[in-house]
Amino acid sequence: MLNFEYSNPTRIVFGRDRISRLDRLIPADARVLVLYGGGSAKKHGTLDRVRQALGDRYVIEFGGIEPNPRYSTLMRAVEAVRREGIDFLLAVGGGSVMDGTKFIGLAAKYEGNGEDILFSRAKPVRLTGALPLGTVVTLPATGSEMNSGGVISHQAGKYVFSHPLVYPQFSILDPTLTFTLPPTQVANGIIDTFIHTVEQYVTVPAEGRFQDRTAEGILRTLIEIGKTTLDNPTDYDARANLMWCATNALNGLIGAGVPQDWSTHMIGHELTAMFGIDHAKTLAIVQPAAWTVRAREKREKLLQYGERVWDLKEGTEDERIAAAIARTRAFFEELGVATRLTAYGVTADRIDDLIQALEAHGMTALGENREITLEVSRKILETAL
Ligand code: NZQ
Ligand code: ZN
């Protein structure tokens, strides 16, 4: 097992009818900015319940944070924070609203250009403050509710940032708030959670037995409840299990002390930036192709994945690996998500553009061993056609 430090300060408040807990979780004298997306939280009554729980605190709202939140939108919220003397941020939504809120929290306390935060992976920047924030989750998928990261769209790219100051102080996870999700977003949530898990698990062996067994538990749970929660959106227990899996797939627990490979996410981000394909759908396209191309490097973990997650015990090693990849693809397809680039209208002639974008964003040495060069990414994209 590799060395690690692990700390996660986010309080999780899980279950039905927990929005009223906001009154205790947010200081009584806080000046609160409630952030939300394109209107689902308003339409389905979640915002009204939040407002009621906040009582007579000073509260203003900022709506219109789009999926794959845009820097320019978020900077408008930063202006509102400064103008109104806001000292607490409350995100009500999915990953886009939560990520956007984290960014706003950092940018509001940063005196330089907000773009510096976006580019901080490539060019580190000293961030010394952030507004405290909490979340009310309406879409189980990204794990943003219990981690310190975010992804912001700007110009032709998606930029990942992270900082310990933006762990939410608390997150309210009420599965019933997700009952209104359209099926395609539920499928996205299952797949995003699945891929977060395998990007920290299907790498190379590292004797992280707890991490492996926990990852396998998440994957098997998703396989058990995936179709059920898609077909029966108000089945509370199925949705509750999806929600808790999503949070635990990306809160640092299963990734501590083991190698990680975020190449599927990084290639996927270019597909979203260039073609507007939903985040999770890009992952469903890239992951099976990436495993096919890198079956040799990931051999041992792919065999373990096949055996422990899909019960594949018969046949040669190559047959079992091929079957594990095929079962994964079939699972995504059964959730109604296509796994080929061409199904989204992306043809071979666009691969050059994608490779150029990866290069422009510095994504030239990806994977657990940093051996995914642009040439390997090209093979992965060709295999995904
Ligand atoms: O905008 P509204 O009207 O609220 O509608 C949203 C949006 O259209 C809708 N929705 C959310 N909750 C709903 C609902 N509709 C009905 N009922 C509800 N209860 O769902 C749509 C998608 O929402 P979005 O927040 O964009 O989806 P998701 O949670 O999948 O977030 C995707 C974003 O998270 C980033 C992605 O890159 C992408 O920008 N990620 C963040 C990560 C992190 N912070 O750790 C990791 C992930 O890998 C991911 O990259
Ligand atoms: Zn993701």
Side-chain angles (χ1 to χ4, degrees):
M1 199 183 305
L2 310 174
N3 290 357
F4 65 90
E5 283 191 31
Y6 178 58
S7 159
N8 194 313
T10 302
R11 172 186 295 267
I12 296 295
V13 179
F14 195 102
R16 294 177 194 270
D17 300 325
R18 307 309 300 275
I19 288 181
S20 58
R21 288 277 289 125
L22 285 173
D23 191 31
R24 289 289 183 84
L25 292 165
I26 298 179
D29 58 353
R31 293 173 69 84
V32 184
L33 179 62
V34 175
L35 299 115
Y36 62 97
S40 72
K42 199 167 223 166
K43 182 170 156 204
H44 300 300
T46 309
L47 273 184
D48 284 344
R49 290 166 67 188
V50 165
R51 261 208 175 261
Q52 203 183 350
L54 291 174
D56 51 16
R57 287 175 183 80
Y58 181 78
V59 178
I60 57 170
E61 292 175 359
F62 183 92
I65 297 181
E66 54 281 89
N68 308 301
R70 298 212 68 87
Y71 173 74
S72 52
T73 307
L74 304 174
M75 289 309 287
R76 284 197 285 110
V78 170
E79 280 167 29
V81 166
R82 290 180 175 151
R83 196 174 54 236
E84 300 281 341
I86 294 298
D87 55 20
F88 201 97
L89 303 177
L90 182 63
V92 181
S96 295
V97 175
M98 293 189 276
D99 286 6
T101 301
K102 291 174 177 177
F103 179 82
I104 294 161
L106 279 172
K109 292 279 185 180
Y110 180 65
E111 287 182 1
N113 186 337
E115 283 181 335
D116 297 348
I117 303 170
L118 293 187
F119 306 143
S120 57
R121 275 273 161 103
K123 191 163 171 256
V125 55
R126 217 171 103 78
L127 298 165
T128 51
L131 287 175
L133 66 102
T135 83
V136 176
V137 184
T138 65
L139 198 175
T142 61
S144 187
E145 63 274 14
M146 200 179 180
N147 70 36
S148 58
V151 189
I152 306 303
S153 297
H154 186 41
Q155 293 160 351
K158 287 191 82 172
Y159 297 93
V160 179
F161 70 95
S162 73
H163 199 286
L165 286 168
V166 293
Y167 276 103
Q169 286 193 348
F170 63 82
S171 283
I172 295 185
L173 274 59
D174 177 344
T176 66
L177 299 180
T178 76
F179 287 176
T180 54
L181 280 167
T184 184
Q185 294 297 345
V186 177
N188 283 352
I190 297 164
I191 292 173
D192 200 16
T193 304
F194 199 97
I195 303 293
H196 293 157
T197 308
V198 297
E199 293 219 282
Q200 301 165 89
Y201 162 65
V202 183
T203 56
V204 289
E207 278 295 324
R209 289 169 182 258
F210 164 79
Q211 296 89 325
D212 279 8
R213 296 283 185 192
T214 309
E216 288 151 5
I218 293 173
L219 297 171
R220 291 194 74 115
T221 305
L222 293 172
I223 293 162
E224 277 166 23
I225 55 92
K227 196 81 174 74
T228 310
T229 195
L230 193 63
D231 294 344
N232 309 296
T234 57
D235 177 331
Y236 178 85
D237 285 319
R239 191 56 60 86
N241 276 288
L242 169 59
M243 205 163 198
W244 193 221
C245 281
T247 303
N248 281 284
L250 200 52
N251 64 2
L253 181 71
I254 63 169
V258 296
Q260 303 187 11
D261 166 12
W262 292 99
S263 56
T264 291
H265 267 72
M266 296 308 127
I267 298 171
H269 284 172
E270 302 304 347
L271 290 169
T272 300
M274 205 170 287
F275 304 109
I277 304 171
D278 288 354
H279 171 64
K281 298 194 168 75
T282 70
L283 309 175
I285 297 166
V286 176
Q287 189 69 81
W291 282 345
T292 305
V293 170
R294 300 189 65 236
R296 189 168 50 84
E297 292 83 356
K298 289 182 180 288
R299 186 168 197 85
E300 285 179 64
K301 291 306 281 283
L302 276 170
L303 286 166
Q304 179 180 326
Y305 164 71
E307 178 170 342
R308 295 196 193 166
V309 175
W310 292 108
D311 299 318
L312 297 167
K313 294 174 185 152
E314 309 288 325
T316 66
E317 290 190 353
D318 285 348
E319 283 166 357
R320 277 183 275 149
I321 288 174
I325 298 171
R327 294 289 286 273
T328 309
R329 187 188 292 285
F331 177 58
F332 299 160
E333 299 265 355
E334 276 160 25
L335 298 173
V337 173
T339 59
R340 296 281 180 190
L341 279 173
T342 40
Y344 298 86
V346 180
T347 43
D349 55 314
R350 299 308 305 273
I351 290 180
D352 281 343
D353 297 337
L354 287 161
I355 296 298
Q356 271 169 25
L358 282 167
E359 186 168 22
H361 297 136
M363 301 296 157
T364 54
L366 301 173
E368 61 273 33
N369 294 325
R370 303 186 59 74
E371 60 195 14
I372 306 184
T373 57
L374 293 177
E375 258 329 287
V376 181
S377 287
R378 180 183 293 280
K379 267 197 205 123
I380 292 171
L381 288 164
E382 284 167 359
T383 306
L385 281 168

